[in-house]
Amino acid sequence: KEVSRKRRAMAMPSRMAVRQVRRALLGLTLLVLAAWRAGLSFALPQASGADLATRTATGSQVGVPLTAGTHSGRWAAISGGGKADHAGKWSWEHSAPGVDGVSMFLAAAGAATAMRAASAASEAKSEEIEEEKSFFESFKVPIYIGLWYLFNIGYNIYNKKALIAYPYPWAVALWQMAFGWCIFVPLWILRVRKVPKLTVGEAVLLSPSAFGHLATHVGAVIAFFAGAVSFGHIVKASEPVVSSLLNFLFMGELLHPMVYLSLVPIIGGVGLASASELSFNWLCFGAAMGSNFGSAARGVYSKKVMSGGKIGKNMTPSNVYAVLTIMATFLLLPIAFAIEGPTAMLKGFNAAHAAGGTAFIMQMIYSGLFYYLYNEVAFLALGQLDPVSHAVSNTMKRVVIIITAIVVFKNPVTPLGIAGSSIAIFGTLLYSLAKNKFKR
């Protein structure tokens, strides 16, 4: 009896964690089912060349300025990687019949995953704690990975659709960053999650990481605004090259020659894909590389400065992400206002709302919601994986997103582009595996 009581006492934290996951999965089920019932589609909004020309001429849509303080810069026909011909028609004007099918498949897959998890958790209530724990332990990794992929796909689709309707990438990035507050602040107020506690000195120590977090997100949003989502992810696959360079420059870290050799297919693949990309532009390429530098710099700083010990109290991975989000929001606010201007942001928002109505509002909400959720679930998923599984899962996630973006947005791809993408992504997998094998 004494042994049984000890086992039950040790299992209590796991039981509470299982209940929290049940509630989260149930909420996800309701969210996805509500979206499905509302008839939301991943199909692109159709717009004629005449409509776009009229809106541009009347100022109902203002392009992103390429220099601070001016809104006279031309914004190209870059939504979804599309191009405008001389007649003013867009290559994605007529969406393919299969797009809605893909959209419903993605939504149904997410709903099925969440419902299966919630149903399994509900049926396990009557079982013993040990059996319940065993069941959840058996399925939590694929559940986490499935949700991670689902939220990531949802973010990339709704982020691009929001940028098409509202061509202000700095404003969209600010909105998505601030949206997380609507999630973690109520969790702190309701005491569902412990409130993190930091001193002023610890907050200052975290600020460079927050700036790296800002650069990572803003760079990605601008890249996906300026070019095709699929091409942006191909360029972002070159992050290991940037990370290796920064680790050598600031940490003096020398890796095994085989690790450096694995960077060759990444560089070659990205170069080949860039040379053959039909919608290539330097803004997309440069912003994606800037996102890579932000992410790599954040990792190098964390390793160099913050490896001495734990910072603050209640700084779980989820709370660390929340704190970085808060700090990055305050850093981004004046920059976004200086570049695009609050008046122009508001004018563009009103024009987009007048043109798209509720559909545009939902695109903005879903882009912010999925951005926070995929980062939150990523902590749960990656925390359960060994380095090899992490590398494989991360590689496959990028493959799934690229394929989905090509199908949904109908981006034209060439055989050389496909070859370059495949080589670059395979190179990222080789890099992760080689780095894990030849650890020093």
Side-chain angles (χ1 to χ4, degrees):
K1 290 182 179 180
E2 184 65 25
V3 172
S4 178
R5 277 196 296 270
K6 288 182 179 180
R7 287 181 178 176
R8 288 172 181 261
M10 294 174 63
M12 285 301 292
S14 299
R15 189 176 185 183
M16 294 175 64
V18 171
R19 289 177 177 174
Q20 291 179 355
V21 172
R22 284 178 184 169
R23 289 194 291 267
L25 291 174
L26 180 59
L28 172 67
T29 304
L30 296 176
L31 173 67
V32 176
L33 287 177
W36 178 76
R37 289 289 296 172
L40 295 177
S41 172
F42 287 145
L44 279 171
Q46 297 186 3
S48 66
D51 290 338
L52 290 172
T54 301
R55 280 194 276 181
T56 304
T58 57
S60 60
Q61 284 189 345
V62 183
V64 59
L66 299 183
T67 57
T70 175
H71 290 275
S72 60
R74 176 180 61 87
W75 65 283
I78 48 184
S79 302
K83 294 184 177 180
D85 58 20
H86 295 291
K89 294 183 178 180
W90 293 61
S91 61
W92 44 262
E93 182 176 350
H94 300 289
S95 57
V99 172
D100 285 332
V102 172
S103 305
M104 294 308 300
F105 170 77
L106 293 175
T113 301
M115 285 189 292
R116 185 181 303 171
S119 175
S122 177
E123 293 174 357
K125 283 184 178 180
S126 59
E127 298 178 0
E128 294 292 332
I129 295 177
E130 290 81 2
E131 294 178 359
E132 186 179 67
K133 180 181 177 182
S134 176
F135 175 84
F136 179 72
E137 290 292 335
S138 300
F139 289 95
K140 69 177 179 180
V141 173
I143 289 174
Y144 286 159
I145 293 177
L147 294 177
W148 179 31
Y149 283 25
L150 175 68
F151 292 147
N152 219 314
I153 291 172
Y155 167 70
N156 279 274
I157 291 175
Y158 282 109
N159 175 61
K160 184 65 179 182
K161 297 177 91 172
L163 289 169
I164 290 171
Y166 181 50
Y168 289 80
W170 288 89
V172 171
L174 178 61
W175 159 259
Q176 293 169 353
M177 190 76 73
F179 190 91
W181 293 44
C182 301
I183 298 177
F184 53 73
V185 171
L187 293 179
W188 291 338
I189 294 175
L190 298 175
R191 300 183 182 275
V192 176
R193 182 181 294 174
K194 291 184 178 180
V195 179
K197 297 179 181 179
L198 293 171
T199 64
V200 175
E202 290 169 337
V204 171
L205 194 61
L206 271 177
S207 58
S209 290
F211 190 81
H213 180 51
L214 180 157
T216 302
H217 179 53
V218 172
V221 172
I222 295 177
F224 298 148
F225 163 78
V229 174
S230 54
F231 178 64
H233 276 285
I234 294 170
V235 178
K236 283 179 64 63
S238 62
E239 183 180 331
V241 179
V242 179
S243 179
S244 298
L245 176 63
L246 294 184
N247 272 301
F248 172 73
L249 293 177
F250 295 100
M251 299 288 293
E253 181 181 73
L254 287 175
L255 302 174
H256 192 277
M258 292 301 295
V259 179
Y260 288 120
L261 189 62
S262 68
L263 297 176
V264 175
I266 299 178
I267 298 173
V270 171
L272 183 60
S274 300
S276 59
E277 174 62 30
L278 299 178
S279 61
F280 176 85
N281 65 80
W282 284 107
L283 179 58
C284 175
F285 182 86
M289 288 302 298
S291 177
N292 287 341
F293 271 97
S295 179
R298 179 180 57 188
V300 171
Y301 178 80
S302 298
K303 185 187 299 184
K304 183 177 180 65
V305 179
M306 299 168 57
S307 59
K310 209 171 182 181
I311 292 181
K313 295 181 180 179
N314 303 328
M315 292 293 282
T316 61
S318 295
N319 275 346
V320 169
Y321 175 70
V323 170
L324 291 179
T325 297
I326 292 174
M327 298 176 70
T329 303
F330 283 117
L331 290 171
L332 179 57
L333 187 64
I335 300 175
F337 280 0
I339 293 177
E340 291 180 341
T343 302
M345 288 179 181
L346 184 59
K347 181 180 178 182
F349 183 88
N350 291 334
H353 182 241
T358 305
F360 165 68
I361 299 298
M362 296 309 297
Q363 289 165 7
M364 292 290 289
I365 291 176
Y366 282 140
S367 71
L369 176 65
F370 285 137
Y371 171 70
Y372 182 83
L373 289 180
Y374 97 73
N375 281 285
E376 180 87 5
V377 175
F379 280 109
L380 300 175
L382 301 183
Q384 302 295 324
L385 299 175
D386 59 87
V388 175
S389 299
H390 177 189
V392 174
S393 299
N394 204 32
T395 301
M396 290 306 300
K397 178 207 73 174
R398 202 171 295 280
V399 171
V400 169
I401 292 173
I402 290 174
I403 293 176
T404 303
I406 290 174
V407 172
V408 172
F409 295 107
K410 298 183 62 183
N411 301 128
V413 290
T414 64
L416 285 178
I418 296 174
S421 305
S422 303
I423 293 171
I425 293 173
F426 182 65
T428 62
L429 177 61
L430 289 180
Y431 170 82
S432 300
L433 297 178
K435 191 174 182 180
N436 179 65
K437 182 175 181 180
F438 298 106
K439 283 183 178 179
R440 291 185 174 181

